[in-house]
Amino acid sequence: MSESPRPESSEERSRNIRRMFDDISPRYDLLNTVLSFGRDRSWRKRAVRMLNPPEGARLLDLACGTGDFALAALRYCPGIGSIIGIDFAENMLALARKKYEKRRVGIPYEFRFGDATQLPLEDESVDAVTIAFGIRNVVDVPAALREMHRV
């Protein structure tokens, strides 16, 4: 009699998702474009325009990946004061940092390692929180929503 496989714990699932994104990071932008048939750009543009942050807003882009959503926010909401990108895949963050350095973004920005369920930020420290495609990979969505509300 064979044993049924042990269910994956939240920690294991999170670790596996992180490893997958670190592995695919060099091809992530291309994959997003191909798998969405190029619609990813228009989705970001539409979402950012709906955001409509106040002048000088501090924006948190959660599960920021390679930083494309934050770049769209800069393009379509020119009044943003600063951006923090948080992701739990270091290789994605490295690519985001390179993009921003290459584009010489004229506002303060930083990319930090972190988990959506335990944000490394003070209470009420940002004006707006965004999360695009990354919400589908959050292991504990209610905990992430509580953290978004907290910050």
Side-chain angles (χ1 to χ4, degrees):
M1 190 173 243
S2 66
E3 292 182 33
S4 59
R6 179 177 58 85
E8 188 177 47
S9 72
S10 292
E11 285 180 23
E12 289 171 317
R13 183 168 181 253
S14 183
R15 191 172 35 252
N16 289 337
I17 291 168
R18 180 180 304 128
R19 187 177 309 119
M20 176 189 69
F21 280 99
D22 274 333
D23 290 347
I24 67 167
S25 62
R27 298 172 305 285
Y28 180 78
D29 290 340
L30 176 64
L31 287 170
N32 246 356
T33 300
V34 170
L35 294 174
S36 72
F37 300 102
R39 298 285 302 155
D40 60 312
R41 290 182 189 100
S42 63
W43 292 336
R44 276 191 289 277
K45 180 179 177 180
R46 183 172 182 207
V48 166
R49 285 194 168 153
M50 290 171 64
L51 178 64
N52 193 25
E55 187 75 25
R58 188 170 189 210
L59 173 69
L60 167 60
D61 184 22
L62 191 51
C64 68
T66 64
D68 282 348
F69 194 89
L71 280 171
L74 290 175
R75 182 173 185 185
Y76 299 110
C77 299
I80 289 176
S82 64
I83 290 181
I84 301 169
I86 294 181
D87 204 290
F88 72 170
E90 287 284 358
N91 291 347
M92 299 288 264
L93 290 169
L95 290 169
R97 289 181 192 109
K98 285 180 186 176
K99 277 185 188 179
Y100 277 68
E101 289 165 11
K102 182 179 177 182
R103 286 178 174 83
R104 295 192 171 109
V105 175
I107 66 161
Y109 66 90
E110 63 179 301
F111 291 97
R112 297 184 188 178
F113 177 82
D115 187 303
T117 63
Q118 297 175 355
L119 295 174
L121 298 171
E122 299 293 321
D123 293 356
E124 299 179 17
S125 59
V126 300
D127 300 299
V129 179
T130 61
I131 186 167
F133 306 115
I135 192 69
R136 65 184 173 221
N137 298 306
V138 173
V139 174
D140 186 349
V141 173
L145 292 173
R146 284 190 298 275
E147 280 294 277
M148 289 181 227
H149 184 263
R150 179 185 67 78
V151 301

